[in-house]
Amino acid sequence: MKVVNLKQAILQAWKERWSDYQWAINMKKFFPKGATWDILNLAEALLEQAMIGPSPNPLILSYLKYAISSQFDDFSRDLCVQALLDIMDMFCDRLSCHGKAEECIGLCRSLLSALHWLLRCTAASAERLREGLEAGTPAAGEKQLAMCLQRLEKTLSSTKNRALLHIAKLEEASSWTAIEHSLLKLGEILASLSNPQLRSQAEQCGTLIRSIPTMLAVHSEQLHKTGYPTVHAVVLLEGTMNLTGETQPLVEQLMMVKRMQHIPTPLFVLEIWKACFVGLIESPEGTEELKWTAFTFLKIPQVLVKLKKYCHGDKDFTEDVNCAFEFLLKLTPLLDKADQRCNCDCTKFLLQECSKQGLLSEASVTNLMAKRAADREHAPQLKSGENANIQPNPGLILRAEPTVTNILKTMDADHSKSPEGLLGVLGHMLSGKSLDLLLAAAAATGKLKSFARKFINLNEFTTHGNEELAKAASVRALLFDISFLMLCHVAQTYGSEVILSESSSGAQVPFFETWMQTCMPEEGKILNPDHPCFWPDSTKVESLVALLNNSSEMKLVQMKWHEACLSISAAILEILNAWENGVLAFESIQKITDNIKGKVCSLAVCAVAWLVAHVRMLGLDEREKSLQMIRQLAGPLYSENTLQFYNERVVIMSSILEHMCADVLQQTATQIKFPSTGVDTMPYWNLLPPKRPIKEVLTDIFGKVLEKGWVDSRSIHIFDTLLHMGGVYWFCNNLIKELLKETRKEHTLRAVELLYSIFCLDMQQVTLVLLGHILPGLLTDSSKWHNLMDPPGTALAKLAVWCALSSYSSHKGQASSRQKKRHREDIEDYISLFPLDDMQPSKLMRLLSSNEEDANVLSSPTDRSMSSSLSASQLHTVNMRDPLNRVLANLFLLISSILGSRTAGPHTQFVQWFMEECVDCLEQGSRGSILQFMPFTTVSELVKVSAMSSPKVVLAITDLSLSLGRQVAAKAIAAL
């Protein structure tokens, strides 16, 4: 039989089992002695793995490699080129390898070399065509170029091939650089050709090659949705409970949600604005309203500036923000309601602020303002409702921001040089709602901690009363009192962590910090009235008792106010004992309490702080006089002989006392009337209905939120209270039970979006419970497997992945202020739950391997070799003493066990959904993601699942930054 070409030679040799001599003779017809090329090595690898039939004679393969022993670069030899292109035709769309991992990596490298040769061959053919056109003989070059492009297209159209090339690129960066150079050269040559079909074909091939490095980065965005309750709730949660938080964690959390839900940028920005306007509208009057205003007009524009860096280029993001505002302007009822609430055109203020931050062009701002102004013309009730005498909060907040900076500069001056001038500044801050405006502006711009530090320094300065005149003494008393009251107010409004300084060894702790940590009542903090902090030097206590009891009014000169504040608790106890034993009459008590609150209100605050701790320890019949004393201290003193700014100071004092007493008054069913300021100073207090089980409250509030489709500020506070009362496990477990009850797909998806945002109240702890307790319990108990069926099972898988990704991406950062406030309960000792030694079965894995109902379902790690649990995290030396890392590692061991078991069921389907969601949510390259905890052996098990048997999935779930990860991926993809 006459051999026509190399393809026929290989097929005939394989069929007839040619001897090595026959093969060598026939090979000479196609290639000169000494020629070699990687593509034939590739052909050898393919034939060796029975790519095109039964395994061929090994001698054929050895002579194929031997006969051609040098690089084949002579593209003018048409027969040789055609032979090689014919070989490519045989394998390029059906590559496969079932050998060792090293051989599969060799396949990737050979394919990369083949692609490089093919690009060079295409460029040479195009050059010949161009020369032929110039000489008037185009036919030969055009035919060869068409053949090259056909093979290129055939090779690159396979996702599997592109995945193998992706691995090869990571293995050999220099070879990829050569590919890029060849691609550029080919483009330059083809640009001069007139054949549109060939040029179009070449451009398509070039696009496919350029897409290889980023083939995992493409996600389709959800264009069919218009509302995103998770974004809405995350923004509401931050605005309601964490105004002082840094912007970066919020930016990262929002970007995580955007990526996980594939939200288009304009709709993403729109949802942020919608949440801000809803927050403004529903915020209670007073401090909360000012906090929301500062959040919307000061903090969110800063958040968007940072989001711009994550999303894409400046120009594109500006267009997206403009598009978001265009959408927002269509929500006329929402904007009208916000304008009515704020007594101004809110959109105008927002547009101006965005323009200042470079988020919108001037032309866009002008256009959007004109559209909103036209809309407002059709709503006469807006203008008639606006009160010209009331300045709108957005304008006040925006003006307060530079004032904060000026006050900080003023506070830096030497207090001893001009205390009267400083007192004047502080006095203005106390009037009306100035203080809350300034604090909200400082909180929203990250300056509150610095603000508080200045006032702690001022308070510390006033504790030293040396030789002084009466006027200087009164100024010092006022500076002490105002700074003390301001700091208490900041701690109660924004959290005590804002006040605390960074601990430095050897540094003396300021008086206010010491008092606040040991003596100030806070939510969830139980004080001991017998604590040493309440019992100072007895001589100082005696002199203070005498001063309070005998003097018509307090003396100010050389008074050490911090000592008085620390001595007042012991003094109050003596006075109480004297009253209870009939030594003092009620009139004397009135005189004493008037003395306590008559000059400096901070003494009354310190007295009530101790009384609150004291009342908790008393029986029901012993509390009356203590509570009566609190009543006496809570009201203002109606006297002309008070110090400057008394009325303003009393307003702040009353608010502080109301917060301090709230817990104990509820527990003792007592009512104390605090002077009213016209607004509710504790708007989110006492939200739970009395005498109703908290589980009922939880299911009821979640049902309402699910029905409504979004979480409001009041619901957030109720969920936070329930989380605090029931604990993380109770809270998470009961909400997951509610999710698993849902049977309609649209309801389960909405529930996931809402639950994720609710879990953001304490995402780290919730994730540990969900992944470390609840999921293993569901996956290992066959009686619970029915709960994991679709749709609730799919929804739970999605929620688990979202929580895992969010916690893992943020758990190295600081806990937010809202999480720091909550008492940390130990869910369980994760070190004993998940021991470090792989040879010692953990509690979780002992549970898995001792399932008597179905002992063969899952295997314990003790039955598995060490290599079967080897994961990328171990090669990256991730700290396995971290609870979250341990929980993730054990969850993926459990997943690996389920995939490798012989029993299928809803639990195996759940694992598939879990992995699919991981792939869907992850960005390109999984280094540093939760999938680094997955054992490498899981990859080969996963590709056996039809839905997971795609090259992109394999690339997504393996850590391609590791050589071993690339080998695992290459082996799995080559076997597909």
Side-chain angles (χ1 to χ4, degrees):
M1 177 183 174
K2 185 181 177 184
V3 178
V4 178
N5 57 32
L6 185 58
K7 179 177 179 179
Q8 188 179 357
I10 292 172
L11 291 170
Q12 190 172 341
W14 159 44
K15 186 177 179 182
E16 298 179 7
R17 302 293 182 191
W18 281 354
S19 69
D20 51 348
Y21 175 75
Q22 286 173 299
W23 176 255
I25 294 296
N26 277 285
M27 282 303 300
K28 287 180 182 178
K29 295 179 181 180
F30 299 100
F31 297 101
K33 189 178 180 183
T36 191
W37 186 65
D38 275 327
I39 199 160
L40 296 181
N41 296 340
L42 178 60
E44 175 190 341
L46 298 166
L47 290 167
E48 195 172 349
Q49 295 306 323
M51 160 60 200
I52 54 171
S55 196
N57 187 337
L59 288 170
I60 298 174
L61 300 171
S62 64
Y63 270 89
L64 176 62
K65 194 168 184 178
Y66 167 78
I68 307 167
S69 56
S70 67
Q71 188 75 6
F72 180 79
D73 277 335
D74 188 356
F75 296 113
S76 64
R77 300 174 70 92
D78 290 351
L79 279 176
C80 295
V81 169
Q82 175 140 1
L84 291 171
L85 291 174
D86 282 347
I87 288 182
M88 289 205 78
D89 221 22
M90 293 164 62
F91 68 75
C92 63
D93 60 344
R94 45 184 181 154
L95 285 175
S96 186
C97 178
H98 298 274
K100 296 177 181 176
E102 294 81 2
E103 293 168 356
C104 297
I105 284 287
L107 177 63
C108 295
R109 287 176 171 148
S110 293
L111 183 57
L112 188 66
S113 296
L115 177 63
H116 187 209
W117 178 85
L118 195 48
L119 281 171
R120 287 167 52 234
C121 185
T122 308
S125 304
E127 185 66 42
R128 280 180 67 191
L129 175 58
R130 186 169 67 179
E131 290 168 359
L133 287 169
E134 289 169 2
T137 56
E142 188 167 349
K143 183 184 176 186
Q144 190 163 301
L145 177 59
M147 286 174 66
C148 289
L149 288 172
Q150 188 185 353
R151 268 58 170 195
L152 257 180
E153 196 171 33
K154 194 173 179 182
T155 303
L156 294 166
S157 61
S158 160
T159 308
K160 179 177 176 178
N161 287 357
R162 293 201 305 279
L164 293 173
L165 287 166
H166 183 87
I167 295 168
K169 172 196 169 290
L170 297 172
E171 281 285 313
E172 297 183 352
S174 57
S175 298
W176 187 258
T177 306
I179 295 262
E180 289 174 328
H181 285 311
S182 299
L183 200 56
L184 282 171
K185 186 180 176 184
L186 177 60
E188 288 166 8
I189 298 169
L190 286 170
S192 61
L193 298 181
S194 57
N195 188 323
Q197 187 180 349
L198 291 176
R199 280 174 62 181
S200 170
Q201 205 174 357
E203 282 167 11
Q204 285 174 6
C205 293
T207 302
L208 284 171
I209 291 171
R210 291 187 193 94
S211 74
I212 287 169
T214 58
M215 65 185 296
L216 293 179
V218 181
H219 281 299
S220 58
E221 293 184 329
Q222 287 196 54
L223 299 174
H224 61 283
K225 282 187 70 175
T226 53
Y228 298 92
T230 310
V231 177
H232 187 99
V234 166
V235 173
L236 268 180
L237 179 65
E238 196 75 9
T240 305
M241 306 189 79
N242 200 27
L243 180 61
T244 56
E246 292 180 15
T247 54
Q248 190 58 34
L250 173 59
V251 168
E252 288 172 6
Q253 190 177 27
L254 285 169
M255 279 308 299
M256 177 67 73
V257 173
K258 184 181 188 298
R259 280 195 298 268
M260 291 190 304
Q261 298 188 17
H262 313 308
I263 307 174
T265 306
L267 296 179
F268 175 62
V269 176
L270 171 66
E271 201 63 51
I272 292 172
W273 290 136
K274 278 165 60 180
C276 287
F277 278 105
V278 169
L280 274 175
I281 292 163
E282 67 179 23
S283 60
E285 192 183 345
T287 308
E288 291 299 315
E289 184 183 356
L290 294 178
K291 284 162 78 171
W292 258 107
T293 308
F295 180 76
T296 302
F297 295 94
L298 289 176
K299 189 168 184 175
I300 287 296
Q302 293 293 332
V303 167
L304 288 179
V305 168
K306 289 193 174 183
L307 281 172
K308 179 164 68 174
K309 296 172 187 172
Y310 286 84
C311 291
H312 34 55
D314 287 8
K315 187 180 178 187
D316 288 341
F317 191 74
T318 305
E319 288 171 5
D320 286 336
V321 172
N322 180 55
C323 185
F325 270 110
E326 291 280 7
F327 289 144
L328 184 66
L329 291 183
K330 291 181 170 64
L331 303 176
T332 310
L334 178 73
L335 299 185
D336 287 354
K337 205 161 186 179
D339 287 359
Q340 249 178 328
R341 176 70 198 269
C342 297
N343 193 41
C344 66
D345 183 350
C346 291
T347 314
K348 181 180 175 183
F349 279 112
L350 208 50
L351 289 168
Q352 287 170 345
E353 208 54 31
C354 287
S355 177
K356 274 187 215 170
Q357 301 294 343
L359 295 167
L360 283 170
S361 66
E362 284 186 24
S364 296
V365 170
T366 307
N367 174 45
L368 292 164
M369 278 186 180
K371 285 183 177 178
R372 179 59 187 150
D375 268 356
R376 280 170 60 88
E377 288 298 324
H378 298 298
Q381 74 274 13
L382 288 181
K383 294 202 168 184
S384 61
E386 283 177 11
N387 189 334
N389 299 323
I390 300 173
Q391 289 185 298
N393 284 336
L396 291 172
I397 280 287
L398 292 170
R399 285 205 296 277
E401 196 262 332
T403 309
V404 169
T405 309
N406 292 334
I407 289 172
L408 289 175
K409 287 178 185 172
T410 305
M411 298 289 289
D412 279 332
D414 186 349
H415 304 316
S416 60
K417 289 184 178 175
S418 179
E420 292 87 356
L422 180 60
L423 181 60
V425 172
L426 298 186
H428 283 299
M429 285 175 62
L430 295 178
S431 61
K433 57 184 180 184
S434 298
L435 178 60
D436 283 326
L437 272 168
L438 292 166
L439 292 179
T445 52
K447 294 173 186 164
L448 189 59
K449 203 164 180 71
S450 174
F451 202 81
R453 186 61 20 206
K454 307 285 185 196
F455 279 96
I456 282 178
N457 294 339
L458 172 61
N459 186 263
E460 200 66 9
F461 162 75
T462 59
T463 57
H464 311 296
N466 301 318
E467 294 298 323
E468 61 185 353
L469 299 172
K471 185 180 180 185
S474 68
V475 170
R476 185 171 61 81
L478 282 166
L479 290 176
F480 175 87
D481 200 37
I482 291 170
S483 58
F484 186 96
L485 294 171
M486 280 186 177
L487 289 166
C488 284
H489 184 61
V490 169
Q492 287 182 337
T493 310
Y494 294 100
S496 55
E497 64 280 355
V498 176
I499 305 292
L500 299 175
S501 56
E502 304 298 328
S503 56
S504 54
S505 56
Q508 187 177 353
V509 181
F511 154 72
F512 185 82
E513 278 191 50
T514 305
W515 179 85
M516 184 188 73
Q517 286 182 287
T518 52
C519 306
M520 182 175 172
E522 285 183 279
E523 186 185 351
K525 183 164 104 180
I526 304 298
L527 296 173
N528 175 10
D530 298 324
H531 190 282
C533 74
F534 289 121
W535 305 106
D537 184 357
S538 58
T539 55
K540 291 176 182 174
V541 174
E542 287 169 13
S543 61
L544 181 60
V545 170
L547 193 67
L548 293 170
N549 194 28
N550 299 327
S551 304
S552 56
E553 62 180 62
M554 292 281 286
K555 292 178 181 177
L556 305 178
V557 177
Q558 294 183 24
M559 185 72 175
K560 293 188 176 178
W561 295 107
H562 68 298
E563 289 184 359
C565 285
L566 290 172
S567 303
I568 193 73
S569 50
I572 289 289
L573 180 60
E574 285 198 22
I575 292 162
L576 260 179
N577 286 336
W579 186 18
E580 285 172 349
N581 290 314
V583 177
L584 289 175
F586 180 66
E587 291 73 20
S588 302
I589 297 299
Q590 279 184 311
K591 186 180 77 172
I592 289 169
T593 52
D594 285 352
N595 272 336
I596 290 172
K597 65 189 178 184
K599 295 295 183 187
V600 292
C601 297
S602 41
L603 268 185
V605 171
C606 294
V608 171
W610 179 81
L611 282 166
V612 165
H614 180 63
V615 167
R616 285 182 188 276
M617 305 298 169
L618 299 176
L620 282 171
D621 55 342
E622 301 171 310
R623 295 171 176 170
E624 186 187 343
K625 283 188 165 53
S626 297
L627 291 169
Q628 208 167 345
M629 190 172 274
I630 292 175
R631 281 194 190 90
Q632 289 297 315
L633 290 166
L637 175 67
Y638 298 103
S639 165
E640 294 179 4
N641 196 18
T642 53
L643 292 177
Q644 208 175 354
F645 309 119
Y646 185 70
N647 290 337
E648 291 85 350
R649 286 183 288 129
V650 163
V651 169
I652 300 175
M653 178 192 80
S654 297
S655 169
I656 293 165
L657 296 186
E658 188 173 359
H659 278 83
M660 277 186 177
C661 298
D663 269 341
V664 78
L665 293 181
Q666 186 184 38
Q667 289 163 12
T668 57
T670 307
Q671 287 190 334
I672 292 179
K673 189 173 181 185
F674 294 90
S676 173
T677 57
V679 295
D680 185 359
T681 54
M682 300 182 66
Y684 294 118
W685 174 253
N686 203 15
L687 291 171
L688 299 187
K691 297 179 182 177
R692 193 175 174 200
I694 58 172
K695 186 179 176 184
E696 276 184 28
V697 178
L698 181 68
T699 54
D700 183 51
I701 191 70
F702 181 68
K704 286 176 180 174
V705 161
L706 189 59
E707 187 181 345
K708 200 162 48 172
W710 54 283
V711 186
D712 58 85
S713 301
R714 188 174 182 278
S715 301
I716 286 171
H717 278 274
I718 293 174
F719 281 122
D720 190 54
T721 306
L722 291 168
L723 173 58
H724 181 71
M725 291 178 75
V728 181
Y729 180 83
W730 174 88
F731 185 77
C732 182
N733 190 41
N734 281 301
L735 284 175
I736 294 300
K737 284 178 183 176
E738 292 305 303
L739 171 64
L740 295 177
K741 287 177 189 173
E742 292 297 332
T743 53
R744 290 174 58 185
K745 189 173 183 180
E746 61 271 25
H747 277 202
T748 58
L749 290 175
R750 186 193 296 172
V752 168
E753 292 180 327
L754 294 170
L755 279 175
Y756 171 82
S757 53
I758 293 164
F759 287 169
C760 285
L761 284 165
D762 200 345
M763 183 58 80
Q764 293 291 323
Q765 296 295 309
V766 166
T767 304
L768 288 176
V769 163
L770 179 59
L771 305 186
H773 292 262
I774 294 171
L775 281 191
L778 288 167
L779 290 169
T780 56
D781 185 346
S782 56
S783 67
K784 295 177 181 175
W785 286 351
H786 67 279
N787 292 313
L788 299 175
M789 295 175 74
D790 194 35
T794 322
L796 179 58
K798 187 184 285 285
L799 179 64
V801 172
W802 287 6
C803 290
L805 288 173
S806 296
S807 291
Y808 190 75
S809 68
S810 65
H811 86 297
K812 296 185 180 95
Q814 295 296 313
S816 72
S817 59
R818 66 173 179 268
Q819 291 169 5
K820 285 178 182 172
K821 286 177 192 172
R822 185 172 299 109
H823 170 66
R824 279 272 160 267
E825 73 225 47
D826 291 324
I827 299 159
E828 189 162 343
D829 180 1
Y830 283 89
I831 301 295
S832 67
L833 182 64
F834 306 121
L836 284 170
D837 182 3
D838 277 19
M839 297 310 291
Q840 174 194 2
S842 68
K843 190 183 296 184
L844 171 63
M845 286 305 177
R846 284 201 304 276
L847 167 71
L848 308 189
S849 58
S850 63
N851 189 338
E852 291 180 8
E853 288 181 20
D854 196 352
N856 296 320
V857 172
L858 304 166
S859 59
S860 164
T862 48
D863 302 324
R864 302 150 65 92
S865 67
M866 278 294 287
S867 62
S868 69
S869 62
L870 179 66
S871 68
S873 61
Q874 288 159 278
L875 299 180
H876 287 311
T877 60
V878 169
N879 175 20
M880 291 310 290
R881 291 193 174 277
D882 180 276
L884 182 60
N885 292 349
R886 303 179 75 78
V887 165
L888 285 167
N890 278 272
L891 179 64
F892 277 107
L893 268 179
L894 172 55
I895 284 172
S896 187
S897 297
I898 290 170
L899 287 169
S901 71
R902 293 187 295 276
T903 304
H907 65 308
T908 50
Q909 185 69 58
F910 176 87
V911 165
Q912 180 188 319
W913 292 326
F914 183 91
M915 295 305 300
E916 283 175 356
E917 189 62 33
C918 284
V919 173
D920 193 46
C921 291
L922 287 174
E923 290 185 289
Q924 184 173 5
S926 55
R927 174 162 188 178
S929 83
I930 60 171
L931 285 175
Q932 67 179 311
F933 295 99
M934 181 183 71
F936 287 118
T937 51
T938 310
V939 178
S940 58
E941 296 293 342
L942 266 176
V943 292
K944 295 174 186 174
V945 180
S946 59
M948 305 295 285
S949 60
S950 85
K952 278 193 177 184
V953 167
V954 175
L955 290 181
I957 63 177
T958 44
D959 189 339
L960 301 176
S961 68
L962 294 170
S963 174
L964 182 55
R966 293 193 291 274
Q967 287 181 30
V968 168
K971 191 173 189 302
I973 292 169
L976 289 174

